[in-house]
Amino acid sequence: MDRIRNFCIIAHIDHGKSTLADRLLETTHTVAGRDMQEQLLDSMDLERERGITIKSHAIQMDYVYEGEKYTLNLIDTPGHVDFSYEVSRSIAACEGALLIVDASQGIEAQTISNLYLALDHDLEIIPVLNKIDLPGANPEEVADQVVDLLGCKPDEIIHASGKEGIGIDEILQAIVERIPAPKGDPSAPLQAMIFDSVFNPFRGIEVIFRVINGTIRKGDKVKFVNTGKQYDADEIGILRLSQDPREQISAGNVGYLISGIKVAREVKVGDTITHKERPCTNAIKGFEEVKPMVFAGIYPVETSEYEELRASMEKLQLNDASLVWEPETSAALGFGFRCGFLGMLHMEIVQERLEREFDMTVITTVPSVQYHAVYGDGRTVNINAPSEMPDPGTISHIEEPYISAQIITKAEFVGPVISLCMDKRGGIKNQVYLTSDRVELTFELPLGEIVFDFFDKLKTISRGYASLDYELIGFRQSKMVKLDIMLNGEPVDALSAIVHRDKAYEWGKKLCEKLRELVPRQMFEIAIQASIGTKIIARETVKAMRKNVLAKCYGGDITRKRKLLEKQKKGKKRMRQVGNVEIPQEAFMAVLKIE
């Protein structure tokens, strides 16, 4: 155990984590030269296309230092704030972290929030200044920022370049010297924590775990504490570029377990694995609960694919523990799921992964929250979707959920952040300066205003520096109305939304304009209307495509032309009665893009 080091790499998006991980793998000869490629650990094609890390990846390396052979378990983590749940899980399986800061950009928002995650778990931090070879690099100034943030000595900061391979040996030495060996007792009862899982169509679910105490051997009978299920350890091993089977894995190490688990619901991230015969006395405290920021419905395009979509969602949830969902129904779209995401990017990625990895084409509806409708006799009814909204005449009022939000930002962005929250019907409760240029603002806001694009706007105005945490504080009475969208007089329930009365007119107008651009033209005219109850508040028209029936009428009497035009008009009218309007997927997403 003295020769094992478990560490992760944390940084803001685009500060060079994956490139640095590539260099570490090359230097320790974990990967043969012919298998080497850029962003080696980013195995998903989505990650390569966008140049971002979406999933944490664990890999084991061997490193010889002063004649001794050390085992290094590296976890490369995402930098984008929407995947911070991945980072918190990786950190729980480590004793140390490489904190990477771009020498040209300095410390940014995720650097700070990931650092606090690591410090909460008492990890040893090794600061690394990356990209020092860039012409715009400013290592001295950025080193001062790191010293201010960490309180370390300037000579503890390693100067490196992932691209040029500068400073890689120093990093490996620092990992061995500074990061503590894992604690634990190999002879104690088995206690291992699941921190990730992957679905393999041939072998069932592969569980990735970190052994805290005890030893697991091939063929052992194991039990998952939270679900109470028991399995045989058919294969265990460590994670290299491919899986490397072993006979046993003991305390302090990271490995994988294959036991032919077929049902996705049986594996919970954060669960504890122990022996059936000799169980451990207490389970490991798992991870904190995930807090979704955006809620939306996901529906299959064909209703018959509902069960298939459910199976795909379960498999995806194995690999992405921050996705939360429950079944729901809609009049226009049939059966589907109400999902909670950590942000708009997360929602986009989930949709893309469903399409690519499971061949599911899905429709995503407008994000929203749960409301309460209160009747005159005091009864309350939950409203989860606009289609469940009762007739306004029958109820006394609507209550919407309010949250208390803590926003930590740099002092220079306080003005824009406050005006954004006021714009979202929020009220400021408190303002505290944590340091000379970091401020904590406390607001009370309606949850309905923040599930939408609040988080994205907050990141934009604060250049990514603001962090948001919130908790529900209860329901309050509010003037909410249901805004319906009608195409040729037919309401489309997937496009309707519950909005505040003061914003309804503006919202309806913008939505109609947006739909006019997206709904394809037909042979007949399409009226797009927004209404509250029976009152139409906005209208746009998609003009009909027309054939020039007068082309063959050159000269002659006007009545000949009139006759042809009348005939065409009758045809259009008949068509409009029987014709139906196809709504493209972009139209459902249009609502998300409204400013």
Side-chain angles (χ1 to χ4, degrees):
M1 269 180 67
D2 301 341
R3 309 233 185 96
I4 297 177
R5 300 287 183 270
N6 298 320
F7 70 100
C8 58
I9 301 184
I10 54 178
H12 191 80
I13 189 165
D14 234 9
H15 279 202
K17 292 178 296 299
S18 300
T19 314
L20 204 74
D22 290 349
R23 291 296 89 76
L24 293 174
L25 295 177
E26 259 181 0
T27 313
T28 53
H29 306 296
T30 307
V31 183
R34 61 172 181 218
D35 296 330
M36 196 61 212
Q37 51 178 352
E38 289 290 308
Q39 282 180 289
L40 184 75
L41 292 178
D42 292 350
S43 47
M44 247 187 281
D45 47 359
L46 248 180
E47 295 180 309
R48 294 182 163 284
E49 280 169 30
R50 295 184 177 229
I52 56 175
T53 306
I54 293 168
K55 280 289 303 162
S56 300
H57 301 278
I59 192 164
Q60 193 172 94
M61 312 181 281
D62 291 329
Y63 176 59
V64 179
Y65 176 65
E66 292 181 352
E68 301 272 358
K69 187 174 163 194
Y70 287 87
T71 302
L72 309 180
N73 288 311
L74 152 74
I75 303 179
D76 179 26
T77 64
H80 197 284
V81 62
D82 280 14
F83 306 112
S84 57
Y85 192 62
E86 285 286 326
V87 185
S88 72
R89 287 166 33 207
S90 309
I91 283 174
C94 294
E95 276 84 32
L98 292 182
L99 178 74
I100 294 178
V101 181
D102 185 327
S104 55
Q105 292 180 341
I107 288 174
E108 294 192 50
Q110 279 316 101
T111 321
I112 297 172
S113 68
N114 289 342
L115 171 69
Y116 285 142
L117 277 178
L119 291 175
D120 284 347
H121 286 81
D122 291 334
L123 264 58
E124 178 63 41
I125 309 285
I126 300 177
V128 179
L129 273 194
N130 195 18
K131 307 194 186 181
I132 56 166
D133 57 314
L134 289 184
N138 196 344
E140 290 78 19
E141 193 179 309
V142 177
D144 290 345
Q145 289 180 13
V146 175
V147 171
D148 282 352
L149 181 68
L150 279 177
C152 62
K153 298 188 182 71
D155 55 354
E156 288 176 13
I157 301 171
I158 301 170
H159 291 242
S161 161
K163 199 165 153 201
E164 299 296 325
I166 304 166
I168 302 300
D169 288 324
E170 286 90 331
I171 291 175
L172 287 165
Q173 285 165 23
I175 290 166
V176 172
E177 288 168 5
R178 297 194 213 167
I179 293 178
K183 298 180 181 66
D185 179 1
S187 56
L190 175 67
Q191 199 183 24
M193 176 180 70
I194 302 175
F195 68 91
D196 207 353
S197 51
V198 188
F199 182 77
N200 179 333
F202 306 110
R203 310 196 59 181
I205 291 155
E206 300 168 0
V207 174
I208 299 169
F209 62 88
R210 152 85 197 269
V211 186
I212 309 289
N213 286 310
T215 303
I216 181 169
R217 292 176 182 83
K218 188 177 173 181
D220 280 353
K221 284 211 175 328
V222 294
K223 177 180 163 191
F224 287 12
V225 177
N226 286 356
T227 55
K229 301 278 187 194
Q230 297 175 358
Y231 309 100
D232 292 327
D234 299 338
E235 178 180 316
I236 58 168
I238 57 172
L239 295 150
R240 294 290 166 114
L241 195 52
S242 52
Q243 291 164 341
D244 185 356
R246 292 289 157 100
E247 286 304 311
Q248 66 170 44
I249 295 175
S250 53
N253 220 334
V254 174
Y256 70 91
L257 161 76
I258 297 177
S259 53
I261 307 171
K262 293 283 183 287
V263 185
R265 269 186 247 108
E266 292 176 14
V267 178
K268 295 261 187 299
V269 167
D271 203 345
T272 307
I273 306 175
T274 186
H275 277 131
K276 184 186 159 192
E277 265 71 48
R278 194 173 153 222
C280 57
T281 46
N282 54 341
I284 301 162
K285 192 172 146 286
F287 310 106
E288 68 224 51
E289 280 299 299
V290 53
K291 281 189 183 167
M293 299 268 180
V294 175
F295 300 86
I298 285 189
Y299 292 85
V301 174
E302 298 292 327
T303 7
S304 55
E305 290 175 357
Y306 172 70
E307 280 305 323
E308 211 178 313
L309 179 62
R310 176 192 281 275
S312 305
M313 296 283 279
E314 282 178 356
K315 289 170 192 169
L316 187 60
Q317 196 175 20
L318 280 176
N319 204 248
D320 180 357
S322 50
L323 175 66
V324 210
W325 53 271
E326 55 183 40
E328 78 165 357
T329 52
S330 142
L333 300 169
F335 293 102
F337 299 97
R338 183 124 211 100
C339 305
F341 307 96
L342 293 184
M344 291 303 218
L345 176 70
H346 186 210
M347 178 165 144
E348 237 176 87
I349 296 287
V350 166
Q351 197 180 334
E352 285 232 355
R353 285 184 68 179
L354 282 170
E355 285 181 11
R356 291 186 188 206
E357 292 171 33
F358 304 102
D359 281 342
M360 297 296 311
T361 9
V362 293
I363 288 173
T364 316
T365 65
V366 187
S368 75
V369 296
Q370 185 182 59
Y371 296 94
H372 285 174
V374 183
Y375 285 88
D377 56 5
R379 270 187 313 133
T380 53
V381 178
N382 293 346
I383 304 171
N384 284 320
S387 54
E388 296 171 11
M389 184 96 153
D391 183 36
T394 59
I395 53 174
S396 80
H397 63 269
I398 299 268
E399 293 181 347
E400 64 171 334
Y402 264 73
I403 57 157
S404 166
Q406 284 82 35
I407 297 172
I408 297 179
T409 177
K410 288 182 74 173
E412 61 193 272
F413 304 121
V414 170
V417 169
I418 291 178
S419 61
L420 171 71
C421 293
M422 296 294 181
D423 188 42
K424 298 284 184 191
R425 316 204 317 268
I428 186 162
K429 290 291 169 209
N430 200 356
Q431 177 173 352
V432 183
Y433 275 79
L434 302 173
T435 63
S436 59
D437 78 332
R438 289 185 70 223
V439 191
E440 182 181 25
L441 301 165
T442 310
F443 289 94
E444 285 185 3
L445 290 148
L447 182 62
E449 294 283 345
I450 78 157
V451 295
F452 214 47
D453 55 354
F454 176 78
F455 198 33
D456 286 349
K457 280 187 177 160
L458 181 66
K459 285 185 291 195
T460 310
I461 60 175
S462 66
R463 297 219 297 270
Y465 268 102
S467 63
L468 169 73
D469 189 28
Y470 70 87
E471 59 195 15
L472 274 163
I473 51 173
F475 283 77
R476 296 183 187 174
Q477 186 173 338
S478 204
K479 288 192 273 183
M480 307 306 287
V481 291
K482 180 182 173 195
L483 180 72
D484 279 313
I485 297 292
M486 300 192 291
L487 293 181
N488 278 349
E490 289 290 315
V492 183
D493 85 330
L495 287 172
S496 52
I498 297 175
V499 291
H500 195 266
R501 186 176 281 281
D502 300 347
K503 295 192 172 186
Y505 284 87
E506 187 187 349
W507 183 265
K509 188 167 177 291
K510 284 184 177 166
L511 196 48
C512 289
E513 284 168 5
K514 197 84 182 172
L515 285 170
R516 190 187 70 193
E517 297 162 20
L518 291 167
V519 173
R521 287 175 71 186
Q522 306 282 349
M523 297 304 286
F524 51 91
E525 197 173 83
I526 304 171
I528 302 171
Q529 294 163 313
S531 69
I532 297 174
T534 51
K535 186 180 178 189
I536 304 290
I537 58 170
R539 169 177 171 142
E540 292 288 337
T541 310
V542 179
K543 291 277 181 244
M545 290 194 281
R546 302 190 58 158
K547 180 181 167 192
N548 184 0
V549 287
L550 303 181
K552 58 181 185 286
C553 288
Y554 50 94
D557 189 11
I558 184 73
T559 49
R560 284 178 60 202
K561 296 182 183 174
R562 182 85 24 90
K563 186 175 150 196
L564 284 169
L565 286 171
E566 284 301 321
K567 191 174 161 193
Q568 186 183 30
K569 198 162 151 192
K570 274 186 193 146
K572 293 275 178 212
K573 193 174 172 187
R574 199 164 51 243
M575 252 174 149
R576 180 172 171 172
Q577 282 161 359
V578 295
N580 60 345
V581 185
E582 286 284 309
I583 307 173
Q585 161 70 21
E586 292 82 59
F588 292 106
M589 297 301 286
V591 192
L592 312 181
K593 305 279 189 297
I594 287 183
E595 270 307 306

